[in-house]
Amino acid sequence: MEKSIENALTFEGYTSDISLAVIKAICNKLKSQTLTTLEIGYFKGRTTELVLENGSTKHIIIDCAANLNEKHSSDERVIFYKSASRYIEPSIISFFNQVDYLFIDGGHEKGDLWNDLELANHLLKEDGILVVDDIDFSGVPGYPHLIKALDDYCDIVGSFVKICLVDCKQMILCRLSTFIR
């Protein structure tokens, strides 16, 4: 197993090694002089660790419940907003259309996801990549099925195209304009 994935797996969390490998590949594909990444939902820092080890020069985290671990709180590349994403105005963040990779692992209700997608729509670069985690837990009683909310957003707003599902729980998307190029 690749070292940065192995290292990320030492952080508590639920993102699988397969999903981490996909995130690593996306970061490597997007690498340029600057790679700005944003994560809605931090938990214990597993995906944060991976993107920082794979080229992120600026990593923005939005989470109302988590506290950054010592390693990430002292990393100068990390910008942390301790807030629910619904209270973050895209204009306040000042990263309008500057984020290369955006990872949503926030609230698990339709309204939460819709809000996170709206934020992503403002912040993601034209050729950026969006990953939505915890998209489908078919067979888990009481767990929301976010795939319907994602489908609704893509159909109504029309700004993102679903590319593929990873590990039965993460949807990778890009902008429609990038997809049709």
Side-chain angles (χ1 to χ4, degrees):
M1 185 177 303
E2 200 277 330
K3 185 172 174 49
S4 65
I5 294 171
E6 219 171 75
N7 184 41
L9 286 169
T10 65
F11 288 76
E12 188 178 347
Y14 302 101
T15 306
S16 72
D17 56 343
I18 295 167
S19 295
L20 290 171
V22 170
I23 293 167
K24 177 185 176 356
I26 290 169
C27 288
N28 287 333
K29 177 72 175 156
L30 294 172
K31 260 188 201 171
S32 59
Q33 275 193 316
T34 61
L35 176 62
T36 301
T37 55
L38 189 144
E39 182 173 10
I40 299 173
Y42 174 80
F43 189 53
K44 301 287 184 177
R46 181 176 278 186
T47 52
T48 294
E49 184 64 19
L50 187 75
V51 297
L52 289 173
E53 281 199 16
N54 285 283
S56 181
T57 54
K58 187 178 298 176
H59 185 63
I60 305 138
I61 300 167
I62 301 171
D63 195 306
C64 62
N67 291 310
L68 297 185
N69 64 39
E70 189 177 321
K71 181 177 183 183
H72 297 150
S73 64
S74 63
D75 192 316
E76 63 188 31
R77 298 170 294 171
V78 173
I79 300 166
F80 181 53
Y81 292 90
K82 189 168 182 79
S83 171
S85 59
R86 68 180 161 272
Y87 299 121
I88 299 288
E89 290 290 323
S91 58
I92 293 172
I93 295 181
S94 77
F95 296 104
F96 182 78
N97 201 27
Q98 293 184 30
V99 174
D100 298 289
Y101 169 75
L102 200 146
F103 184 76
I104 297 175
D105 188 10
H108 294 103
E109 299 295 330
K110 179 179 181 172
D112 295 326
L113 179 58
W114 193 279
N115 182 75
D116 293 345
L117 291 167
E118 280 294 296
L119 192 60
N121 199 18
H122 290 288
L123 300 177
L124 200 64
K125 282 183 178 177
E126 193 61 34
D127 59 349
I129 298 290
L130 171 63
V131 175
V132 180
D133 196 25
D134 298 335
I135 205 69
D136 188 19
F137 282 89
S138 299
V140 179
Y143 207 91
H145 302 283
L146 294 179
I147 192 73
K148 174 73 172 112
L150 181 61
D151 287 345
D152 290 348
Y153 187 88
C154 289
D155 291 344
I156 293 166
V157 178
S159 54
F160 296 114
V161 174
K162 295 174 285 186
I163 298 173
C164 71
L165 183 66
V166 176
D167 207 14
C168 297
K169 64 177 259 175
Q170 291 182 334
M171 185 64 72
I172 300 176
L173 303 97
C174 70
R175 290 199 179 276
L176 177 61
S177 56
T178 301
F179 187 76
I180 59 176
R181 267 193 257 171

